[in-house]
Amino acid sequence: MADLKRNTKLKSGLLSEYGIKEDFIGQVNQSEFKIISSLVGFGALCVLIGKFENKNGQIEIRFHKAFKILFSIMLSYPIIGFIIIWQTEEIETALNLLPTLIFAFLATRFIFMELSFRIISKIGLNKLTQTLGIKTRHNIG
């Protein structure tokens, strides 16, 4: 945990900023941490939350709350688009565009969100395992 503390810019908020030399930003104490990667632009997408007791620990990776809100707004665009088309055009036009709007929704959810989360969480977890010198065992669920 001392290595993690040395490599973390200690702040109460989980916000990225330019010019940080440390690998992480966040809070670290004796047995717990809540950090984000210091990569500007997309490092804050994933929040790494960990708790250690003796030689065992648990690390949870979550979407940052700000990105959850942003992605929720993005996912609502196809729904809003359908409603606008339905109200301004005929229902047949809205139904004809429905497959495109469904594809836009699914692409945003499963390609954009999922792929970005997987890539950025892997980068953050790799940095964390190198910093702490730990071995990981993945449990999903």
Side-chain angles (χ1 to χ4, degrees):
M1 292 301 280
D3 289 337
L4 181 60
K5 201 173 243 186
R6 270 194 306 275
N7 288 308
T8 303
K9 177 164 181 148
L10 301 174
K11 291 176 59 177
S12 60
L14 298 175
L15 300 171
S16 295
E17 58 184 66
Y18 289 99
I20 293 179
K21 297 173 190 168
E22 293 86 3
D23 290 334
F24 303 103
I25 300 169
Q27 303 112 25
V28 180
N29 61 36
Q30 262 71 21
S31 62
E32 297 178 351
F33 62 86
K34 187 174 183 180
I35 56 175
I36 60 170
S37 176
S38 64
L39 296 172
V40 175
F42 56 87
L45 179 75
C46 299
V47 178
L48 303 165
I49 302 168
K51 190 173 194 174
F52 289 101
E53 294 178 13
N54 300 324
K55 291 186 177 188
N56 295 321
Q58 185 175 353
I59 299 171
E60 184 179 346
I61 305 172
R62 297 183 187 168
F63 263 114
H64 194 286
K65 287 182 183 179
F67 283 97
K68 272 187 186 178
I69 294 168
L70 177 67
F71 285 133
S72 297
I73 292 169
M74 288 176 58
L75 286 173
S76 69
Y77 286 160
I79 297 166
I80 293 169
F82 178 77
I83 293 169
I84 290 172
I85 293 168
W86 178 27
Q87 295 299 317
T88 59
E89 303 287 329
E90 297 175 359
I91 188 68
E92 291 82 24
T93 306
L95 291 175
N96 288 338
L97 289 174
L98 190 59
T100 305
L101 296 173
I102 290 172
F103 178 75
F105 179 85
L106 294 175
T108 301
R109 169 60 181 95
F110 292 107
I111 296 173
F112 186 67
M113 287 176 61
E114 185 73 22
L115 193 61
S116 62
F117 181 79
R118 285 185 185 264
I119 291 169
I120 296 167
S121 65
K122 186 170 182 146
I123 291 170
L125 190 59
N126 286 342
K127 269 189 186 181
L128 183 64
T129 55
Q130 288 174 354
T131 301
L132 293 177
I134 58 175
K135 295 179 183 177
T136 60
R137 185 180 78 204
H138 300 279
N139 288 336
I140 300 173

